[in-house]
Amino acid sequence: MTKPDITYTVQVLSQFMHKPKESHMLVAIRVIRYIKNAPGLGLFMSSTTSHQLFSYCDSDWVACPQSRKSVTGYMIKFGSSLISWKSKKQETISRSSTEAEFRSMASTVAELSWLTGMFKELGVSIVQPIDLHYDSKVVIQITTNPIFHE
């Protein structure tokens, strides 16, 4: 679970632990081979860091073939060190890719709020504002134009 690129795959596989089929076993073996062949792809925690949080989020609309739910994910870095990430199916079905992107951003902002509070309790000051990076042109247009807000 320390490799963000396989987190979603491992999560889906774990849903079939009690009654696995041959196809699930083949995918599990493929994941194990990937981990075995990439031993240097661990997490790097830098000893020198800035007090800046960087966040990145994305969404894949209607990505799950079983439920037609979107898959969202984010990653948050403290300086150059990855400290938080998540990849999951959204609880509800989004009506559009824009809605899925907004839900992804909302999850990321919630995590950023929690991390900021935790750092404050630990006595670490975080540089404000915190950048949120995403790749949706539609979301950028909606957020910059107040006419589109409903």
Side-chain angles (χ1 to χ4, degrees):
M1 297 308 290
T2 61
K3 296 182 180 279
D5 52 341
I6 62 168
T7 302
Y8 180 71
T9 305
V10 172
Q11 177 189 0
V12 171
L13 276 175
S14 68
Q15 295 174 2
F16 301 100
M17 259 178 20
H18 301 292
K19 246 182 153 178
K21 295 182 181 176
E22 188 174 332
S23 60
H24 302 126
M25 191 60 157
L26 293 174
V27 172
I29 290 171
R30 187 173 178 181
V31 169
I32 291 169
R33 281 188 191 135
Y34 172 78
I35 293 169
K36 185 178 177 185
N37 290 330
L41 295 178
L43 292 178
F44 173 73
M45 300 300 283
S46 176
S47 61
T48 60
T49 185
S50 68
H51 287 218
Q52 177 76 41
L53 288 175
F54 301 96
S55 60
Y56 307 87
C57 66
D58 200 8
S59 170
D60 193 2
W61 185 46
V62 192
C64 180
Q66 288 95 7
S67 65
R68 307 298 292 160
K69 292 182 179 179
S70 302
V71 174
T72 63
Y74 62 79
M75 64 177 269
I76 300 172
K77 295 173 88 175
F78 181 62
S80 60
S81 302
L82 181 64
I83 60 167
S84 180
W85 67 89
K86 190 169 201 171
S87 174
K88 70 172 193 159
K89 275 192 246 180
Q90 291 181 346
E91 288 86 25
T92 58
I93 297 174
S94 297
R95 294 181 183 180
S96 68
S97 60
T98 305
E99 183 181 348
E101 291 282 347
F102 273 118
R103 289 180 187 274
S104 175
M105 288 190 305
S107 299
T108 309
V109 169
E111 181 73 3
L112 285 169
S113 297
W114 182 83
L115 284 169
T116 304
M118 183 190 70
F119 279 120
K120 186 176 181 180
E121 286 181 21
L122 294 172
V124 178
S125 60
I126 299 295
V127 177
Q128 300 285 339
I130 301 169
D131 292 335
L132 174 62
H133 301 274
Y134 52 93
D135 63 351
S136 174
K137 291 180 182 178
V138 175
V139 171
I140 294 169
Q141 290 173 349
I142 289 173
T143 54
T144 57
N145 191 345
I147 294 173
F148 292 128
H149 293 259
E150 292 183 8

